[in-house]
PDB file of all heavy atoms in Angstrom:
ATOM      1  N   SER H  59     -65.815-149.738-147.074  1.00  0.00           N
ATOM      2  CA  SER H  59     -66.443-148.841-146.111  1.00  0.00           C
ATOM      3  C   SER H  59     -65.374-148.249-145.097  1.00  0.00           C
ATOM      4  O   SER H  59     -65.643-147.111-144.585  1.00  0.00           O
ATOM      5  CB  SER H  59     -67.501-149.604-145.305  1.00  0.00           C
ATOM      6  OG  SER H  59     -67.004-150.635-144.666  1.00  0.00           O
ATOM      7  N   LEU H  61     -60.862-147.797-144.738  1.00  0.00           N
ATOM      8  CA  LEU H  61     -59.572-148.124-145.342  1.00  0.00           C
ATOM      9  C   LEU H  61     -58.452-147.373-144.693  1.00  0.00           C
ATOM     10  O   LEU H  61     -58.730-146.471-143.876  1.00  0.00           O
ATOM     11  CB  LEU H  61     -59.576-147.700-146.830  1.00  0.00           C
ATOM     12  CG  LEU H  61     -59.706-146.156-147.258  1.00  0.00           C
ATOM     13  CD1 LEU H  61     -59.062-145.924-148.570  1.00  0.00           C
ATOM     14  CD2 LEU H  61     -61.157-145.684-147.238  1.00  0.00           C
ATOM     15  N   VAL H  63     -55.094-145.156-145.024  1.00  0.00           N
ATOM     16  CA  VAL H  63     -54.403-144.336-145.884  1.00  0.00           C
ATOM     17  C   VAL H  63     -52.967-143.941-145.216  1.00  0.00           C
ATOM     18  O   VAL H  63     -52.930-143.546-144.060  1.00  0.00           O
ATOM     19  CB  VAL H  63     -55.148-143.011-146.131  1.00  0.00           C
ATOM     20  CG1 VAL H  63     -54.323-142.036-147.021  1.00  0.00           C
ATOM     21  CG2 VAL H  63     -56.499-143.236-146.762  1.00  0.00           C
ATOM     22  N   THR H 197     -66.009-145.546-152.939  1.00  0.00           N
ATOM     23  CA  THR H 197     -66.274-146.071-151.541  1.00  0.00           C
ATOM     24  C   THR H 197     -67.680-146.455-151.396  1.00  0.00           C
ATOM     25  O   THR H 197     -68.619-146.027-152.165  1.00  0.00           O
ATOM     26  CB  THR H 197     -65.708-145.180-150.453  1.00  0.00           C
ATOM     27  OG1 THR H 197     -66.722-144.146-150.252  1.00  0.00           O
ATOM     28  CG2 THR H 197     -64.443-144.547-150.845  1.00  0.00           C
ATOM     29  N   GLN H 199     -69.826-145.190-149.539  1.00  0.00           N
ATOM     30  CA  GLN H 199     -70.706-143.927-149.401  1.00  0.00           C
ATOM     31  C   GLN H 199     -70.313-142.856-150.567  1.00  0.00           C
ATOM     32  O   GLN H 199     -70.710-141.664-150.493  1.00  0.00           O
ATOM     33  CB  GLN H 199     -70.330-143.251-148.051  1.00  0.00           C
ATOM     34  CG  GLN H 199     -70.553-144.170-146.853  1.00  0.00           C
ATOM     35  CD  GLN H 199     -72.024-144.541-146.820  1.00  0.00           C
ATOM     36  OE1 GLN H 199     -72.963-143.751-147.082  1.00  0.00           O
ATOM     37  NE2 GLN H 199     -72.379-145.904-146.498  1.00  0.00           N
ATOM     38  N   GLY H 200     -69.771-143.283-151.613  1.00  0.00           N
ATOM     39  CA  GLY H 200     -69.535-142.383-152.782  1.00  0.00           C
ATOM     40  C   GLY H 200     -68.103-142.226-153.045  1.00  0.00           C
ATOM     41  O   GLY H 200     -67.221-142.586-152.331  1.00  0.00           O
ATOM     42  N   PRO H 201     -67.672-141.231-153.869  1.00  0.00           N
ATOM     43  CA  PRO H 201     -66.314-141.064-154.295  1.00  0.00           C
ATOM     44  C   PRO H 201     -65.562-140.348-153.200  1.00  0.00           C
ATOM     45  O   PRO H 201     -66.088-139.405-152.486  1.00  0.00           O
ATOM     46  CB  PRO H 201     -66.423-140.126-155.558  1.00  0.00           C
ATOM     47  CG  PRO H 201     -67.785-139.509-155.455  1.00  0.00           C
ATOM     48  CD  PRO H 201     -68.635-140.529-154.873  1.00  0.00           C
ATOM     49  N   LEU H 202     -64.277-140.728-153.050  1.00  0.00           N
ATOM     50  CA  LEU H 202     -63.393-140.196-152.032  1.00  0.00           C
ATOM     51  C   LEU H 202     -62.172-139.570-152.860  1.00  0.00           C
ATOM     52  O   LEU H 202     -61.536-140.255-153.512  1.00  0.00           O
ATOM     53  CB  LEU H 202     -62.833-141.283-151.057  1.00  0.00           C
ATOM     54  CG  LEU H 202     -61.771-140.841-150.167  1.00  0.00           C
ATOM     55  CD1 LEU H 202     -62.297-139.683-149.060  1.00  0.00           C
ATOM     56  CD2 LEU H 202     -61.214-141.969-149.254  1.00  0.00           C
ATOM     57  N   THR H 203     -61.981-138.294-152.664  1.00  0.00           N
ATOM     58  CA  THR H 203     -60.789-137.597-153.333  1.00  0.00           C
ATOM     59  C   THR H 203     -59.446-137.850-152.619  1.00  0.00           C
ATOM     60  O   THR H 203     -59.610-137.724-151.325  1.00  0.00           O
ATOM     61  CB  THR H 203     -61.118-136.176-153.604  1.00  0.00           C
ATOM     62  OG1 THR H 203     -62.198-136.010-154.368  1.00  0.00           O
ATOM     63  CG2 THR H 203     -59.947-135.360-154.178  1.00  0.00           C
ATOM     64  N   GLY H 236     -66.306-132.312-151.860  1.00  0.00           N
ATOM     65  CA  GLY H 236     -66.752-133.345-151.090  1.00  0.00           C
ATOM     66  C   GLY H 236     -65.728-134.126-150.251  1.00  0.00           C
ATOM     67  O   GLY H 236     -64.648-133.514-149.805  1.00  0.00           O
ATOM     68  N   LYS H 237     -65.846-135.392-149.954  1.00  0.00           N
ATOM     69  CA  LYS H 237     -65.040-136.138-149.115  1.00  0.00           C
ATOM     70  C   LYS H 237     -63.640-136.266-149.697  1.00  0.00           C
ATOM     71  O   LYS H 237     -63.395-136.483-150.939  1.00  0.00           O
ATOM     72  CB  LYS H 237     -65.557-137.621-148.927  1.00  0.00           C
ATOM     73  CG  LYS H 237     -66.866-137.658-148.290  1.00  0.00           C
ATOM     74  CD  LYS H 237     -67.267-139.169-147.941  1.00  0.00           C
ATOM     75  CE  LYS H 237     -67.227-139.958-149.205  1.00  0.00           C
ATOM     76  NZ  LYS H 237     -67.475-141.404-148.935  1.00  0.00           N
ATOM     77  N   ALA H 238     -62.632-136.060-148.772  1.00  0.00           N
ATOM     78  CA  ALA H 238     -61.354-135.944-149.309  1.00  0.00           C
ATOM     79  C   ALA H 238     -60.243-136.341-148.330  1.00  0.00           C
ATOM     80  O   ALA H 238     -60.490-136.133-147.101  1.00  0.00           O
ATOM     81  CB  ALA H 238     -61.053-134.571-149.959  1.00  0.00           C
ATOM     82  N   VAL H 239     -59.056-136.801-148.721  1.00  0.00           N
ATOM     83  CA  VAL H 239     -57.910-136.957-147.885  1.00  0.00           C
ATOM     84  C   VAL H 239     -56.836-136.332-148.532  1.00  0.00           C
ATOM     85  O   VAL H 239     -56.441-136.695-149.765  1.00  0.00           O
ATOM     86  CB  VAL H 239     -57.642-138.469-147.494  1.00  0.00           C
ATOM     87  CG1 VAL H 239     -56.406-138.574-146.588  1.00  0.00           C
ATOM     88  CG2 VAL H 239     -58.815-139.124-146.862  1.00  0.00           C
ATOM     89  N   ILE H 240     -56.075-135.543-147.823  1.00  0.00           N
ATOM     90  CA  ILE H 240     -54.756-134.903-148.327  1.00  0.00           C
ATOM     91  C   ILE H 240     -53.686-135.410-147.440  1.00  0.00           C
ATOM     92  O   ILE H 240     -53.812-135.355-146.181  1.00  0.00           O
ATOM     93  CB  ILE H 240     -54.732-133.339-148.304  1.00  0.00           C
ATOM     94  CG1 ILE H 240     -55.789-132.814-149.345  1.00  0.00           C
ATOM     95  CG2 ILE H 240     -53.345-132.790-148.644  1.00  0.00           C
ATOM     96  CD1 ILE H 240     -55.949-131.307-149.136  1.00  0.00           C
ATOM     97  N   ARG H 277     -62.751-126.851-144.845  1.00  0.00           N
ATOM     98  CA  ARG H 277     -63.302-127.894-143.928  1.00  0.00           C
ATOM     99  C   ARG H 277     -62.318-129.043-143.854  1.00  0.00           C
ATOM    100  O   ARG H 277     -62.734-130.250-143.438  1.00  0.00           O
ATOM    101  CB  ARG H 277     -64.565-128.345-144.527  1.00  0.00           C
ATOM    102  CG  ARG H 277     -65.579-127.232-144.690  1.00  0.00           C
ATOM    103  CD  ARG H 277     -67.022-127.894-144.831  1.00  0.00           C
ATOM    104  NE  ARG H 277     -67.200-129.100-145.523  1.00  0.00           N
ATOM    105  CZ  ARG H 277     -67.229-129.237-146.818  1.00  0.00           C
ATOM    106  NH1 ARG H 277     -67.154-128.050-147.666  1.00  0.00           N
ATOM    107  NH2 ARG H 277     -67.412-130.358-147.465  1.00  0.00           N
ATOM    108  N   PHE H 278     -61.069-128.905-144.050  1.00  0.00           N
ATOM    109  CA  PHE H 278     -60.079-129.989-143.862  1.00  0.00           C
ATOM    110  C   PHE H 278     -59.719-129.985-142.282  1.00  0.00           C
ATOM    111  O   PHE H 278     -59.565-128.766-141.779  1.00  0.00           O
ATOM    112  CB  PHE H 278     -58.876-129.803-144.736  1.00  0.00           C
ATOM    113  CG  PHE H 278     -59.055-130.271-146.133  1.00  0.00           C
ATOM    114  CD1 PHE H 278     -59.277-129.479-147.183  1.00  0.00           C
ATOM    115  CD2 PHE H 278     -59.000-131.730-146.417  1.00  0.00           C
ATOM    116  CE1 PHE H 278     -59.604-129.945-148.453  1.00  0.00           C
ATOM    117  CE2 PHE H 278     -59.301-132.088-147.641  1.00  0.00           C
ATOM    118  CZ  PHE H 278     -59.612-131.321-148.672  1.00  0.00           C
ATOM    119  N   ASP H 279     -59.417-131.117-141.709  1.00  0.00           N
ATOM    120  CA  ASP H 279     -59.126-131.167-140.439  1.00  0.00           C
ATOM    121  C   ASP H 279     -58.059-132.146-140.280  1.00  0.00           C
ATOM    122  O   ASP H 279     -58.162-133.184-140.909  1.00  0.00           O
ATOM    123  CB  ASP H 279     -60.190-131.501-139.412  1.00  0.00           C
ATOM    124  CG  ASP H 279     -59.785-131.383-137.962  1.00  0.00           C
ATOM    125  OD1 ASP H 279     -59.729-130.202-137.476  1.00  0.00           O
ATOM    126  OD2 ASP H 279     -59.619-132.291-137.241  1.00  0.00           O
ATOM    127  N   GLY H 282     -57.835-135.237-135.920  1.00  0.00           N
ATOM    128  CA  GLY H 282     -58.210-136.695-135.772  1.00  0.00           C
ATOM    129  C   GLY H 282     -57.318-137.632-136.551  1.00  0.00           C
ATOM    130  O   GLY H 282     -57.298-138.833-136.332  1.00  0.00           O
ATOM    131  N   SER H 283     -56.616-137.134-137.634  1.00  0.00           N
ATOM    132  CA  SER H 283     -55.894-137.972-138.377  1.00  0.00           C
ATOM    133  C   SER H 283     -54.431-137.831-138.209  1.00  0.00           C
ATOM    134  O   SER H 283     -53.595-138.538-138.932  1.00  0.00           O
ATOM    135  CB  SER H 283     -56.053-137.663-139.920  1.00  0.00           C
ATOM    136  OG  SER H 283     -56.053-136.245-140.193  1.00  0.00           O
ATOM    137  N   MET H 309     -54.708-134.980-143.497  1.00  0.00           N
ATOM    138  CA  MET H 309     -55.842-134.280-143.127  1.00  0.00           C
ATOM    139  C   MET H 309     -57.081-134.730-143.979  1.00  0.00           C
ATOM    140  O   MET H 309     -57.002-135.270-145.169  1.00  0.00           O
ATOM    141  CB  MET H 309     -55.644-132.711-143.362  1.00  0.00           C
ATOM    142  CG  MET H 309     -55.394-132.301-144.733  1.00  0.00           C
ATOM    143  SD  MET H 309     -54.957-130.632-144.821  1.00  0.00           S
ATOM    144  CE  MET H 309     -53.268-130.513-144.143  1.00  0.00           C
ATOM    145  N   VAL H 310     -58.296-134.642-143.415  1.00  0.00           N
ATOM    146  CA  VAL H 310     -59.459-135.270-143.984  1.00  0.00           C
ATOM    147  C   VAL H 310     -60.667-134.103-144.079  1.00  0.00           C
ATOM    148  O   VAL H 310     -60.634-133.233-143.256  1.00  0.00           O
ATOM    149  CB  VAL H 310     -59.938-136.472-143.182  1.00  0.00           C
ATOM    150  CG1 VAL H 310     -58.800-137.480-143.243  1.00  0.00           C
ATOM    151  CG2 VAL H 310     -60.370-136.131-141.919  1.00  0.00           C
ATOM    152  N   ARG H 311     -61.559-134.498-144.960  1.00  0.00           N
ATOM    153  CA  ARG H 311     -62.744-133.609-145.037  1.00  0.00           C
ATOM    154  C   ARG H 311     -63.928-134.533-145.233  1.00  0.00           C
ATOM    155  O   ARG H 311     -63.963-135.353-146.134  1.00  0.00           O
ATOM    156  CB  ARG H 311     -62.751-132.567-146.270  1.00  0.00           C
ATOM    157  CG  ARG H 311     -63.981-131.808-146.448  1.00  0.00           C
ATOM    158  CD  ARG H 311     -63.716-130.678-147.460  1.00  0.00           C
ATOM    159  NE  ARG H 311     -63.474-131.173-148.690  1.00  0.00           N
ATOM    160  CZ  ARG H 311     -63.072-130.367-149.732  1.00  0.00           C
ATOM    161  NH1 ARG H 311     -62.820-129.126-149.551  1.00  0.00           N
ATOM    162  NH2 ARG H 311     -62.850-130.909-150.968  1.00  0.00           N
ATOM    163  N   ASP H 312     -64.967-134.468-144.371  1.00  0.00           N
ATOM    164  CA  ASP H 312     -66.169-135.169-144.554  1.00  0.00           C
ATOM    165  C   ASP H 312     -66.016-136.703-144.413  1.00  0.00           C
ATOM    166  O   ASP H 312     -66.919-137.442-144.840  1.00  0.00           O
ATOM    167  CB  ASP H 312     -66.900-134.773-145.685  1.00  0.00           C
ATOM    168  CG  ASP H 312     -67.352-133.318-145.873  1.00  0.00           C
ATOM    169  OD1 ASP H 312     -67.218-132.656-144.776  1.00  0.00           O
ATOM    170  OD2 ASP H 312     -67.677-132.859-146.901  1.00  0.00           O
ATOM    171  N   VAL H 313     -64.918-137.181-143.793  1.00  0.00           N
ATOM    172  CA  VAL H 313     -64.882-138.580-143.496  1.00  0.00           C
ATOM    173  C   VAL H 313     -64.355-138.631-141.942  1.00  0.00           C
ATOM    174  O   VAL H 313     -63.742-137.633-141.556  1.00  0.00           O
ATOM    175  CB  VAL H 313     -63.870-139.346-144.363  1.00  0.00           C
ATOM    176  CG1 VAL H 313     -64.409-139.370-145.877  1.00  0.00           C
ATOM    177  CG2 VAL H 313     -62.482-138.801-144.395  1.00  0.00           C
ATOM    178  N   ALA H 314     -64.591-139.633-141.450  1.00  0.00           N
ATOM    179  CA  ALA H 314     -64.183-139.944-139.995  1.00  0.00           C
ATOM    180  C   ALA H 314     -62.909-140.625-139.842  1.00  0.00           C
ATOM    181  O   ALA H 314     -62.838-141.875-140.171  1.00  0.00           O
ATOM    182  CB  ALA H 314     -65.330-140.561-139.221  1.00  0.00           C
ATOM    183  N   PRO H 315     -61.845-140.087-139.406  1.00  0.00           N
ATOM    184  CA  PRO H 315     -60.512-140.810-139.160  1.00  0.00           C
ATOM    185  C   PRO H 315     -60.450-141.385-137.734  1.00  0.00           C
ATOM    186  O   PRO H 315     -61.071-140.835-136.798  1.00  0.00           O
ATOM    187  CB  PRO H 315     -59.544-139.574-139.230  1.00  0.00           C
ATOM    188  CG  PRO H 315     -60.247-138.441-138.648  1.00  0.00           C
ATOM    189  CD  PRO H 315     -61.720-138.540-139.037  1.00  0.00           C
ATOM    190  N   PHE H 316     -59.677-142.470-137.675  1.00  0.00           N
ATOM    191  CA  PHE H 316     -59.368-142.974-136.424  1.00  0.00           C
ATOM    192  C   PHE H 316     -58.149-143.783-136.498  1.00  0.00           C
ATOM    193  O   PHE H 316     -57.579-144.149-137.525  1.00  0.00           O
ATOM    194  CB  PHE H 316     -60.518-143.838-135.905  1.00  0.00           C
ATOM    195  CG  PHE H 316     -60.834-145.098-136.748  1.00  0.00           C
ATOM    196  CD1 PHE H 316     -60.378-146.277-136.217  1.00  0.00           C
ATOM    197  CD2 PHE H 316     -61.514-145.048-137.802  1.00  0.00           C
ATOM    198  CE1 PHE H 316     -60.530-147.510-137.070  1.00  0.00           C
ATOM    199  CE2 PHE H 316     -61.823-146.242-138.622  1.00  0.00           C
ATOM    200  CZ  PHE H 316     -61.331-147.409-138.279  1.00  0.00           C
ATOM    201  N   THR H 339     -53.550-143.314-141.113  1.00  0.00           N
ATOM    202  CA  THR H 339     -54.881-143.182-140.410  1.00  0.00           C
ATOM    203  C   THR H 339     -55.832-144.149-141.065  1.00  0.00           C
ATOM    204  O   THR H 339     -55.797-144.389-142.234  1.00  0.00           O
ATOM    205  CB  THR H 339     -55.285-141.767-140.441  1.00  0.00           C
ATOM    206  OG1 THR H 339     -56.471-141.614-139.588  1.00  0.00           O
ATOM    207  CG2 THR H 339     -55.731-141.308-141.757  1.00  0.00           C
ATOM    208  N   ARG H 340     -56.758-144.615-140.233  1.00  0.00           N
ATOM    209  CA  ARG H 340     -57.970-145.298-140.782  1.00  0.00           C
ATOM    210  C   ARG H 340     -59.050-144.300-141.052  1.00  0.00           C
ATOM    211  O   ARG H 340     -59.080-143.301-140.391  1.00  0.00           O
ATOM    212  CB  ARG H 340     -58.408-146.270-139.853  1.00  0.00           C
ATOM    213  CG  ARG H 340     -57.511-147.527-139.617  1.00  0.00           C
ATOM    214  CD  ARG H 340     -57.527-148.437-140.628  1.00  0.00           C
ATOM    215  NE  ARG H 340     -58.809-149.297-140.717  1.00  0.00           N
ATOM    216  CZ  ARG H 340     -59.215-150.010-141.864  1.00  0.00           C
ATOM    217  NH1 ARG H 340     -58.470-150.130-142.836  1.00  0.00           N
ATOM    218  NH2 ARG H 340     -60.339-150.609-141.732  1.00  0.00           N
ATOM    219  N   VAL H 341     -59.774-144.517-141.968  1.00  0.00           N
ATOM    220  CA  VAL H 341     -60.960-143.533-142.200  1.00  0.00           C
ATOM    221  C   VAL H 341     -62.196-144.376-142.634  1.00  0.00           C
ATOM    222  O   VAL H 341     -62.025-145.451-143.287  1.00  0.00           O
ATOM    223  CB  VAL H 341     -60.665-142.531-143.532  1.00  0.00           C
ATOM    224  CG1 VAL H 341     -59.534-141.668-143.126  1.00  0.00           C
ATOM    225  CG2 VAL H 341     -60.384-143.296-144.763  1.00  0.00           C
ATOM    226  N   ILE H 342     -63.317-143.975-142.123  1.00  0.00           N
ATOM    227  CA  ILE H 342     -64.671-144.543-142.397  1.00  0.00           C
ATOM    228  C   ILE H 342     -65.099-143.867-143.650  1.00  0.00           C
ATOM    229  O   ILE H 342     -65.346-142.544-143.671  1.00  0.00           O
ATOM    230  CB  ILE H 342     -65.615-144.345-141.255  1.00  0.00           C
ATOM    231  CG1 ILE H 342     -65.083-144.988-139.999  1.00  0.00           C
ATOM    232  CG2 ILE H 342     -66.964-144.834-141.749  1.00  0.00           C
ATOM    233  CD1 ILE H 342     -65.943-144.819-138.829  1.00  0.00           C
ATOM    234  N   ALA H 343     -65.024-144.482-144.780  1.00  0.00           N
ATOM    235  CA  ALA H 343     -65.250-143.900-146.115  1.00  0.00           C
ATOM    236  C   ALA H 343     -66.829-143.856-146.459  1.00  0.00           C
ATOM    237  O   ALA H 343     -67.191-143.239-147.402  1.00  0.00           O
ATOM    238  CB  ALA H 343     -64.533-144.467-147.200  1.00  0.00           C
TER     239      ALA H 343
END
Side-chain angles (χ1 to χ4, degrees):
S59 57
L61 67 157
V63 180
T197 75
Q199 300 300 318
L202 175 66
T203 298
K237 298 188 303 177
V239 180
I240 295 173
R277 306 197 324 278
F278 282 99
D279 190 76
S283 49
M309 60 187 75
V310 303
R311 178 170 65 192
D312 296 346
V313 296
F316 65 98
T339 189
R340 294 282 291 168
V341 297
I342 299 173

